[in-house]
Amino acid sequence: MTGEPQAPVVLSVRGLRKRYGDLEAVKDVSFDIREGETYGLLGPNGAGKSTTISIVCGLLRRDAGEVTVDGKPIDTGAVAAKAGIGVVPQDLAIYPDLSARENLTFFGRLYGLGGARLKSRIDTCLELVGLADRANERTDHFSGGMQRRLNIAIGMLHEPRLLLLDEPTVGVDPQSRNAILESIAALGREGMAVLYTTHYMEEAERLCDRVGIIDAGEIRAEGTRRELVALVGQRDEVRLTATGDLGAATKAVGALPGVGGAVVRDGVLELVVDDARGMLPRLLDAVDKAGATVRGVDVVQPDLEAVFLHLTGRALRDAS
Amino acid sequence: MIDIRKAIEIGRVNLLRQVRDRSDLFFVFVLPTIIIVALGLQFGGMTLVRVGIVAPTGDAAATALVAQIKGDSKTLDLRTVATVDELRSLVERGRLEAGVVIPNGFGAALSGTGTVSVTYLATTGALTSGVRAPIEAAVARLAAITTAARIASGATGTDAAAARPLAENLYDTVPGITIDAKTVGEAGMFAGFSGFTFGASTQLVLFMFLTSMTAAGRLVWSRKIGVSRRMVSTPTSVATIVAGEALGRFGVAMLQAGYIIAVSSLVFGVSWGDPLAAGALIALFGVVAAGVALLVGALARTPDQASSMGVFVGLAMGALGGSMIPFQVMPPLMQNIARLLPQSWTLLGIQTLIRDGGGIASVAPNLAVLAVWAVGVMALASWRFRKAITG
């Protein structure tokens, strides 16, 4: 079989394990990210995403496994190899009492930049994240979204081969989130390999070329959106807007044969079923008998949320 | 391996953040100045002793005795009082430290043959007993001249009034008995110091340490918001980060020292002795202060906790080390405790340079102790801080 030559692998993670006491936070995690590819780790809080990123960027010692960036092994002591990695942590890791430009200058120097190149990269990154006109303001005067954008600018300042973003849009307003996602998409197009962790299904679907669904420290499935949705098979996702005893209704429909998962969220029963058309009367009957009243019915295309529900039996956001 | 350029950059940013913090500026620049001025005025004023004089007007001998008492003393403030009763009242109420009563007809009585009494009035106390010495010395001189004039008058049959000028002229040329007083052991509390010198030296040591401690809170904040971990994620070794953070705290301590030395020298005329030796003492103490700040920054969980720990450690070590209570007036047990602390070695070293002069050699033991402290505390702090940012 022939095809287009694949881009080289930038990040390779093999058999990663990390334990905190009795808790195994990362269990045999493996994945690759190629040049220009954006890979999403999608999972709820506590799934092991941040631990994985911390190990990949050499912040945390692993118990087992191997991490390489462009073939160079990465661990906590691999100082020189870290030059190829940019990190955008979940925390706003910036000095609040320095300006955006001063923060970029400081971290730029730690990344080994200096002189005209540092100045040029700072200007480029400020422009890219839309902070050029606020460059000399102290960052504690910035909105949360602006601080997040600066957080990202620091990570990509030195044009790394691999950019690690750990939930970079947490607590950000929709407008800033959109700007952040646009910036990251642009980086992928420029050839940067991006590892993006999130518990927002919409972000993973919009941004990532491939997604690894992670839960309880394990990657439960991996692939493109199409490949992952295919895991749900010919199943349909049914959403029943209902009132009354939704807890009892969820239990009742969940016990029916042909129902792959059932959760209730914001007054909506979300179900993955084998055949929506054929099962709908039985579903409505079960809900009615459980003491709830159905107000609306939607049959939708399965998405990554449905995949997570299918794989874990829980809703992604409820698990978060 | 430590990357010096990156360590300096980390230190530079620390110093920049310290200088930008307006609340810290009060503690770094304003408060030490106020305390140095206050201590200078207090210790400077304490040595001026007010002495009331009741003396007959127009009596040349009485005027001469008053001039003799005053001599070239800068510590006696002689004030004329009208009556003995008023003098007694002023001394009893503490408005004067002591009083001297020269009786009426003092000059004539000296030319006579009877005993002449000069009265000294004072309350009990170390200060007033110290005043008595120059007054007794002046009276003793006058007594010697009077005795010599009376002996000469008796032996030669000349008039005592005529013999008196001769005795006065010869007094300073006739060899007598002198007391050769030497001070041994520890120098007195304020010996050789102006009031500002004492205050500046103690506050230098106190504030260098305290200001470094304020930087410990900023270090915890950097850890809390993830900046320290972000630094570790860059191609910068942990050793470089630790060195940079330590350098930042050292810079803060030296900024504080530089300010106190500049202000005390330029405004209050304080001389700090040999620059090389004083610089070595202060630099080593700065390393110790930076190490303790790094340690507090590594151990504390919150910036508030670091501030509380820092102020407690800074004030406690300052008080025990002689920054508040002079080492020389401490009881032996407390002096032994003080000798365990870097503050006392720094302070005594600086005071030696100011009072006795000398260079590196004269403070070599102080430098050796401070070097041991610096190496020990910096090693411990580096180990703890490394754990805090990579754990």
Side-chain angles (χ1 to χ4, degrees), chain A residues 82 87 97 102 110 151, chain B residues 6 9 17 20 230 232:
Chain A
K82 289 179 186 173
V87 181
D97 43 6
E102 286 168 336
L110 293 191
N151 209 30
Chain B
K6 288 183 180 179
E9 176 63 15
R17 296 178 65 218
R20 286 219 177 136
R230 186 168 213 161
V232 179

Side-chain angles (χ1 to χ4, degrees), chain B residues 118 234 238 242 254 265 379:
Chain B
V118 172
T234 67
V238 176
V242 173
M254 296 312 284
S265 305

Side-chain angles (χ1 to χ4, degrees), chain B residues 285 316-322 336-346 369-370 373:
Chain B
F285 184 65
M317 290 180 79
L320 292 172
N336 288 336
I337 292 172
R339 285 200 180 280
L340 297 173
L341 300 175
Q343 278 84 350
S344 71
W345 289 95
T346 309
V369 172
L370 286 173
W373 256 95

